[in-house]
Amino acid sequence: MRAMVLKELKGPLELRDVPKPKPGMGQLLVRVSACAVCRTDIHVVDGELPNPKLPLVLGHQIVGQIEEIGGENSNFAIGDRVGIPWLGWTDGDCSYCRSGRENLCDNARFTGYTIDGGYAEFTVADARYCFHLPERYGDVEVAPLLCAGLIGYRSYRKTGDARRLGIYGFGNAAHLIAQIAIYEERELFAFTRPGDKATQQAARELGAVWAGGSDEMPPEKLDSAIIFASVGTLVPTALRAIAKGGIVVCGGIHMSDIPSFPYVDLWEERVITSVANLTRQDGDEFFKIAPRVPVRTQTETFALEQANTALDLFRAGKLSATAVLTIAK
Ligand SMILES: [Zn+2]
Ligand SMILES: [Zn+2]
């Protein structure tokens, strides 16, 4: 089978013929039809995340069809459509797993990072971590929900019952989560790169009550804010924009350093938290609510062989929608 393989950090992906994987016990062999590109893929290539598997097949927003099942499986059948997310395996046994926090598992493995992912014609995945996907979505349009949607949703839930919700960095995840926030009647304040009038306009059209640059203060204090941009200076900025008791959620896997700030900005029970990975329960909840909203994705497709182009355009901020690799049969 063909796969786009990362041989060494910072190198381009190489199109290679590699042996078709075999499903082990409890694993699914999946013929990939679509795999969305995530900012995390860039962090992995650029060496900003420690110890990726090398050589590596990237990709953790995978949609495909089950061709083979290793052993018995009651949850999936051959021919089923399946979604494969970032969380690929946990030990089920550490203190985090046993307390409903498998996203923090000490021994977790991640798709497209420490397990081969979906920039390929086939992949194998542990059936226990795969999702059935809502029928209303096509393969390409549902793919971005598997990470930007899911982990965005976990970030959103961490903001509690915030009525006035700020979102810093209005990219893919923000676009998806904003739709849920508006559906749940939150007031949305969108912060973009200073001067990015087009994105501010898009946020208003989506239903934001206010949109401006990340260097601006909102017209009123926010109850909570999510930062999706990987820009550490936004943490003290967002802290200054939230009211007493507010929460700043850092939704990305990697962020540049956070500058120091006066304690008074954190005082009065303001909270800073990050969001790591996802639990299967996040997925179950999210795939119930997404089709009800319905959350709509915007995608731009690339052939598997064009994965480097998709990553380069993403890195340069030149994508206008989520890049999705489509894999021809
Ligand atoms: Zn564990
Ligand atoms: Zn991701």
Side-chain angles (χ1 to χ4, degrees):
M1 68 153 191
R2 295 173 315 141
M4 289 297 282
V5 179
L6 178 68
K7 250 180 75 185
E8 55 185 12
L9 294 181
K10 307 202 182 198
L13 311 185
E14 290 176 14
L15 183 66
R16 281 210 190 164
D17 264 315
V18 296
K20 187 169 159 183
K22 278 258 144 222
M25 211 46 190
Q27 287 186 323
L28 310 174
L29 173 69
V30 175
R31 178 187 283 274
V32 180
S33 64
C35 183
V37 175
C38 177
R39 180 167 295 281
T40 299
D41 299 345
I42 296 174
H43 293 315
V44 172
V45 172
D46 292 349
E48 287 166 335
L49 302 184
N51 308 318
K53 168 190 182 295
L54 285 175
L56 171 70
V57 180
L58 288 167
H60 57 268
Q61 310 188 76
I62 309 167
V63 182
Q65 207 180 27
I66 300 174
E67 281 223 342
E68 233 180 286
I69 300 178
E72 297 279 298
N73 191 282
S74 52
N75 200 18
F76 291 100
I78 287 171
D80 281 358
R81 182 166 80 152
V82 65
I84 306 173
W86 170 247
L87 185 72
W89 186 87
T90 59
D91 59 17
D93 193 42
C94 71
S95 60
Y96 297 103
C97 284
R98 280 189 271 112
S99 56
R101 295 179 292 165
E102 64 183 0
N103 61 308
L104 301 177
C105 174
D106 283 331
N107 297 300
R109 292 182 204 152
F110 302 104
T111 313
Y113 176 36
T114 53
I115 307 173
D116 278 332
Y119 286 21
E121 289 175 317
F122 292 91
T123 192
V124 291
D126 188 320
R128 294 171 300 168
Y129 299 86
C130 296
F131 297 110
H132 289 282
L133 299 170
E135 276 174 20
R136 68 167 288 143
Y137 293 105
D139 291 359
V140 168
E141 62 177 340
V142 80
L145 297 184
L146 278 154
C147 183
L150 256 171
I151 296 182
Y153 180 73
R154 186 173 176 85
S155 308
Y156 172 63
R157 281 290 168 242
K158 286 234 174 212
T159 62
D161 296 326
R163 186 172 61 80
R164 295 159 303 185
L165 175 68
I167 298 186
Y168 287 81
F170 217 78
N172 303 331
H175 177 258
L176 302 179
I177 288 327
Q179 296 174 60
I180 296 184
I182 290 161
Y183 172 78
E184 294 192 336
E185 299 182 340
R186 315 290 173 105
E187 287 174 27
L188 186 73
F189 296 75
F191 299 84
T192 69
R193 283 199 186 100
D196 185 353
K197 298 285 177 206
T199 305
Q200 290 165 19
Q201 184 56 31
R204 276 186 220 104
E205 279 164 19
L206 203 59
V209 296
W210 180 90
S214 58
D215 55 345
E216 294 173 51
M217 274 292 135
E220 52 187 313
K221 289 278 187 188
L222 308 172
D223 296 310
S224 285
I226 308 174
I227 304 176
F228 284 122
S230 52
V231 181
T233 52
L234 290 176
V235 174
T237 304
L239 268 182
R240 283 194 292 277
I242 60 172
K244 290 183 275 191
I247 305 169
V248 173
V249 180
C250 303
I253 192 168
H254 173 81
M255 197 178 235
S256 55
D257 286 353
I258 300 169
S260 72
F261 54 88
Y263 178 62
V264 67
D265 290 347
L266 184 64
W267 171 240
E268 293 167 325
E269 303 200 345
R270 291 174 179 85
V271 174
I272 305 172
T273 183
S274 63
V275 163
N277 315 316
L278 66 133
T279 65
R280 285 170 278 181
Q281 194 186 335
D282 295 329
D284 292 341
E285 278 178 30
F286 176 69
F287 284 120
K288 269 195 201 101
I289 190 170
R292 283 210 305 266
V293 173
V295 175
R296 290 178 209 282
T297 59
Q298 293 173 323
T299 57
E300 191 173 334
T301 58
F302 296 82
L304 175 64
E305 302 73 22
Q306 296 175 299
N308 287 308
T309 310
L311 288 171
D312 288 345
L313 290 172
F314 197 166
R315 193 184 275 111
K318 288 187 177 154
L319 288 172
S320 53
T322 305
V324 179
L325 306 180
T326 54
I327 291 101
K329 278 201 182 178

PDB file of all heavy atoms in Angstrom, residues 89-98 101-108, ligand 1:
ATOM      1  N   TRP A  89      -4.736   4.410  22.219  1.00  0.00           N
ATOM      2  CA  TRP A  89      -4.634   3.292  23.164  1.00  0.00           C
ATOM      3  C   TRP A  89      -4.334   3.838  24.553  1.00  0.00           C
ATOM      4  O   TRP A  89      -3.609   4.826  24.685  1.00  0.00           O
ATOM      5  CB  TRP A  89      -3.501   2.346  22.737  1.00  0.00           C
ATOM      6  CG  TRP A  89      -3.398   1.093  23.561  1.00  0.00           C
ATOM      7  CD1 TRP A  89      -4.071  -0.081  23.347  1.00  0.00           C
ATOM      8  CD2 TRP A  89      -2.578   0.877  24.725  1.00  0.00           C
ATOM      9  NE1 TRP A  89      -3.727  -1.007  24.302  1.00  0.00           N
ATOM     10  CE2 TRP A  89      -2.812  -0.456  25.155  1.00  0.00           C
ATOM     11  CE3 TRP A  89      -1.677   1.676  25.432  1.00  0.00           C
ATOM     12  CZ2 TRP A  89      -2.175  -0.996  26.273  1.00  0.00           C
ATOM     13  CZ3 TRP A  89      -1.030   1.150  26.558  1.00  0.00           C
ATOM     14  CH2 TRP A  89      -1.283  -0.182  26.960  1.00  0.00           C
ATOM     15  N   THR A  90      -4.897   3.209  25.582  1.00  0.00           N
ATOM     16  CA  THR A  90      -4.521   3.515  26.966  1.00  0.00           C
ATOM     17  C   THR A  90      -4.362   2.195  27.708  1.00  0.00           C
ATOM     18  O   THR A  90      -4.853   1.158  27.253  1.00  0.00           O
ATOM     19  CB  THR A  90      -5.600   4.365  27.685  1.00  0.00           C
ATOM     20  OG1 THR A  90      -6.834   3.635  27.667  1.00  0.00           O
ATOM     21  CG2 THR A  90      -5.809   5.707  27.006  1.00  0.00           C
ATOM     22  N   ASP A  91      -3.697   2.246  28.866  1.00  0.00           N
ATOM     23  CA  ASP A  91      -3.463   0.997  29.598  1.00  0.00           C
ATOM     24  C   ASP A  91      -4.673   0.551  30.410  1.00  0.00           C
ATOM     25  O   ASP A  91      -4.759  -0.597  30.840  1.00  0.00           O
ATOM     26  CB  ASP A  91      -2.213   1.108  30.490  1.00  0.00           C
ATOM     27  CG  ASP A  91      -2.311   2.236  31.508  1.00  0.00           C
ATOM     28  OD1 ASP A  91      -3.435   2.722  31.765  1.00  0.00           O
ATOM     29  OD2 ASP A  91      -1.263   2.634  32.045  1.00  0.00           O
ATOM     30  N   GLY A  92      -5.623   1.447  30.641  1.00  0.00           N
ATOM     31  CA  GLY A  92      -6.831   1.091  31.379  1.00  0.00           C
ATOM     32  C   GLY A  92      -6.584   0.839  32.863  1.00  0.00           C
ATOM     33  O   GLY A  92      -7.511   0.472  33.599  1.00  0.00           O
ATOM     34  N   ASP A  93      -5.358   1.059  33.308  1.00  0.00           N
ATOM     35  CA  ASP A  93      -4.969   0.559  34.619  1.00  0.00           C
ATOM     36  C   ASP A  93      -4.306   1.608  35.506  1.00  0.00           C
ATOM     37  O   ASP A  93      -4.211   1.433  36.721  1.00  0.00           O
ATOM     38  CB  ASP A  93      -4.008  -0.621  34.393  1.00  0.00           C
ATOM     39  CG  ASP A  93      -3.779  -1.408  35.672  1.00  0.00           C
ATOM     40  OD1 ASP A  93      -4.771  -1.629  36.398  1.00  0.00           O
ATOM     41  OD2 ASP A  93      -2.610  -1.772  35.940  1.00  0.00           O
ATOM     42  N   CYS A  94      -3.833   2.704  34.954  1.00  0.00           N
ATOM     43  CA  CYS A  94      -3.133   3.695  35.778  1.00  0.00           C
ATOM     44  C   CYS A  94      -4.176   4.494  36.570  1.00  0.00           C
ATOM     45  O   CYS A  94      -5.379   4.369  36.363  1.00  0.00           O
ATOM     46  CB  CYS A  94      -2.267   4.606  34.911  1.00  0.00           C
ATOM     47  SG  CYS A  94      -3.187   5.751  33.892  1.00  0.00           S
ATOM     48  N   SER A  95      -3.707   5.344  37.475  1.00  0.00           N
ATOM     49  CA  SER A  95      -4.649   6.065  38.331  1.00  0.00           C
ATOM     50  C   SER A  95      -5.532   7.005  37.504  1.00  0.00           C
ATOM     51  O   SER A  95      -6.681   7.254  37.852  1.00  0.00           O
ATOM     52  CB  SER A  95      -3.896   6.842  39.403  1.00  0.00           C
ATOM     53  OG  SER A  95      -3.033   7.771  38.797  1.00  0.00           O
ATOM     54  N   TYR A  96      -5.015   7.508  36.389  1.00  0.00           N
ATOM     55  CA  TYR A  96      -5.819   8.401  35.538  1.00  0.00           C
ATOM     56  C   TYR A  96      -6.928   7.614  34.843  1.00  0.00           C
ATOM     57  O   TYR A  96      -8.079   8.026  34.817  1.00  0.00           O
ATOM     58  CB  TYR A  96      -4.927   9.105  34.512  1.00  0.00           C
ATOM     59  CG  TYR A  96      -3.903   9.989  35.167  1.00  0.00           C
ATOM     60  CD1 TYR A  96      -2.579   9.594  35.276  1.00  0.00           C
ATOM     61  CD2 TYR A  96      -4.279  11.215  35.701  1.00  0.00           C
ATOM     62  CE1 TYR A  96      -1.636  10.403  35.902  1.00  0.00           C
ATOM     63  CE2 TYR A  96      -3.360  12.029  36.331  1.00  0.00           C
ATOM     64  CZ  TYR A  96      -2.038  11.619  36.434  1.00  0.00           C
ATOM     65  OH  TYR A  96      -1.129  12.412  37.058  1.00  0.00           O
ATOM     66  N   CYS A  97      -6.563   6.463  34.265  1.00  0.00           N
ATOM     67  CA  CYS A  97      -7.577   5.650  33.586  1.00  0.00           C
ATOM     68  C   CYS A  97      -8.664   5.238  34.568  1.00  0.00           C
ATOM     69  O   CYS A  97      -9.854   5.253  34.249  1.00  0.00           O
ATOM     70  CB  CYS A  97      -6.946   4.403  32.967  1.00  0.00           C
ATOM     71  SG  CYS A  97      -6.024   4.756  31.459  1.00  0.00           S
ATOM     72  N   ARG A  98      -8.248   4.881  35.780  1.00  0.00           N
ATOM     73  CA  ARG A  98      -9.222   4.378  36.747  1.00  0.00           C
ATOM     74  C   ARG A  98     -10.068   5.489  37.350  1.00  0.00           C
ATOM     75  O   ARG A  98     -11.046   5.212  38.035  1.00  0.00           O
ATOM     76  CB  ARG A  98      -8.521   3.538  37.822  1.00  0.00           C
ATOM     77  CG  ARG A  98      -8.243   2.112  37.301  1.00  0.00           C
ATOM     78  CD  ARG A  98      -7.752   1.151  38.369  1.00  0.00           C
ATOM     79  NE  ARG A  98      -6.299   1.201  38.482  1.00  0.00           N
ATOM     80  CZ  ARG A  98      -5.645   1.678  39.548  1.00  0.00           C
ATOM     81  NH1 ARG A  98      -6.297   2.131  40.588  1.00  0.00           N
ATOM     82  NH2 ARG A  98      -4.334   1.682  39.551  1.00  0.00           N
ATOM     83  N   ARG A 101     -10.090   9.619  33.623  1.00  0.00           N
ATOM     84  CA  ARG A 101      -9.268  10.628  32.951  1.00  0.00           C
ATOM     85  C   ARG A 101      -8.264   9.951  32.022  1.00  0.00           C
ATOM     86  O   ARG A 101      -7.053  10.177  32.107  1.00  0.00           O
ATOM     87  CB  ARG A 101      -8.557  11.495  34.001  1.00  0.00           C
ATOM     88  CG  ARG A 101      -9.537  12.314  34.848  1.00  0.00           C
ATOM     89  CD  ARG A 101      -8.824  13.143  35.895  1.00  0.00           C
ATOM     90  NE  ARG A 101      -8.208  12.286  36.915  1.00  0.00           N
ATOM     91  CZ  ARG A 101      -7.292  12.702  37.793  1.00  0.00           C
ATOM     92  NH1 ARG A 101      -6.872  13.946  37.755  1.00  0.00           N
ATOM     93  NH2 ARG A 101      -6.785  11.857  38.675  1.00  0.00           N
ATOM     94  N   GLU A 102      -8.802   9.091  31.150  1.00  0.00           N
ATOM     95  CA  GLU A 102      -7.909   8.335  30.277  1.00  0.00           C
ATOM     96  C   GLU A 102      -7.140   9.250  29.324  1.00  0.00           C
ATOM     97  O   GLU A 102      -6.111   8.860  28.781  1.00  0.00           O
ATOM     98  CB  GLU A 102      -8.679   7.278  29.484  1.00  0.00           C
ATOM     99  CG  GLU A 102      -9.701   7.855  28.523  1.00  0.00           C
ATOM    100  CD  GLU A 102     -10.492   6.767  27.809  1.00  0.00           C
ATOM    101  OE1 GLU A 102     -10.249   5.586  28.066  1.00  0.00           O
ATOM    102  OE2 GLU A 102     -11.361   7.122  26.990  1.00  0.00           O
ATOM    103  N   ASN A 103      -7.626  10.498  29.132  1.00  0.00           N
ATOM    104  CA  ASN A 103      -6.881  11.455  28.305  1.00  0.00           C
ATOM    105  C   ASN A 103      -5.496  11.744  28.887  1.00  0.00           C
ATOM    106  O   ASN A 103      -4.611  12.189  28.179  1.00  0.00           O
ATOM    107  CB  ASN A 103      -7.676  12.758  28.156  1.00  0.00           C
ATOM    108  CG  ASN A 103      -7.941  13.439  29.491  1.00  0.00           C
ATOM    109  OD1 ASN A 103      -8.442  12.811  30.421  1.00  0.00           O
ATOM    110  ND2 ASN A 103      -7.613  14.708  29.588  1.00  0.00           N
ATOM    111  N   LEU A 104      -5.341  11.488  30.196  1.00  0.00           N
ATOM    112  CA  LEU A 104      -4.052  11.750  30.853  1.00  0.00           C
ATOM    113  C   LEU A 104      -3.272  10.463  31.112  1.00  0.00           C
ATOM    114  O   LEU A 104      -2.258  10.490  31.826  1.00  0.00           O
ATOM    115  CB  LEU A 104      -4.286  12.485  32.184  1.00  0.00           C
ATOM    116  CG  LEU A 104      -5.010  13.836  32.084  1.00  0.00           C
ATOM    117  CD1 LEU A 104      -5.241  14.413  33.485  1.00  0.00           C
ATOM    118  CD2 LEU A 104      -4.200  14.818  31.239  1.00  0.00           C
ATOM    119  N   CYS A 105      -3.713   9.344  30.574  1.00  0.00           N
ATOM    120  CA  CYS A 105      -3.077   8.040  30.844  1.00  0.00           C
ATOM    121  C   CYS A 105      -1.548   8.125  30.741  1.00  0.00           C
ATOM    122  O   CYS A 105      -1.007   8.690  29.794  1.00  0.00           O
ATOM    123  CB  CYS A 105      -3.604   7.004  29.856  1.00  0.00           C
ATOM    124  SG  CYS A 105      -2.761   5.410  30.006  1.00  0.00           S
ATOM    125  N   ASP A 106      -0.883   7.528  31.732  1.00  0.00           N
ATOM    126  CA  ASP A 106       0.590   7.542  31.764  1.00  0.00           C
ATOM    127  C   ASP A 106       1.206   6.849  30.551  1.00  0.00           C
ATOM    128  O   ASP A 106       2.329   7.151  30.160  1.00  0.00           O
ATOM    129  CB  ASP A 106       1.086   6.817  33.025  1.00  0.00           C
ATOM    130  CG  ASP A 106       0.944   7.677  34.268  1.00  0.00           C
ATOM    131  OD1 ASP A 106       1.003   8.915  34.135  1.00  0.00           O
ATOM    132  OD2 ASP A 106       0.781   7.100  35.370  1.00  0.00           O
ATOM    133  N   ASN A 107       0.490   5.891  30.008  1.00  0.00           N
ATOM    134  CA  ASN A 107       1.071   5.087  28.922  1.00  0.00           C
ATOM    135  C   ASN A 107       0.284   5.211  27.619  1.00  0.00           C
ATOM    136  O   ASN A 107       0.339   4.320  26.774  1.00  0.00           O
ATOM    137  CB  ASN A 107       1.127   3.617  29.360  1.00  0.00           C
ATOM    138  CG  ASN A 107       2.041   3.454  30.564  1.00  0.00           C
ATOM    139  OD1 ASN A 107       3.225   3.768  30.494  1.00  0.00           O
ATOM    140  ND2 ASN A 107       1.486   3.016  31.684  1.00  0.00           N
ATOM    141  N   ALA A 108      -0.464   6.307  27.482  1.00  0.00           N
ATOM    142  CA  ALA A 108      -1.315   6.471  26.297  1.00  0.00           C
ATOM    143  C   ALA A 108      -0.483   6.454  25.012  1.00  0.00           C
ATOM    144  O   ALA A 108       0.690   6.853  25.009  1.00  0.00           O
ATOM    145  CB  ALA A 108      -2.085   7.782  26.399  1.00  0.00           C
TER     146      ALA A 108
HETATM  147 ZN    ZN B   1      -3.815   4.706  31.955  1.00  0.00          ZN
END
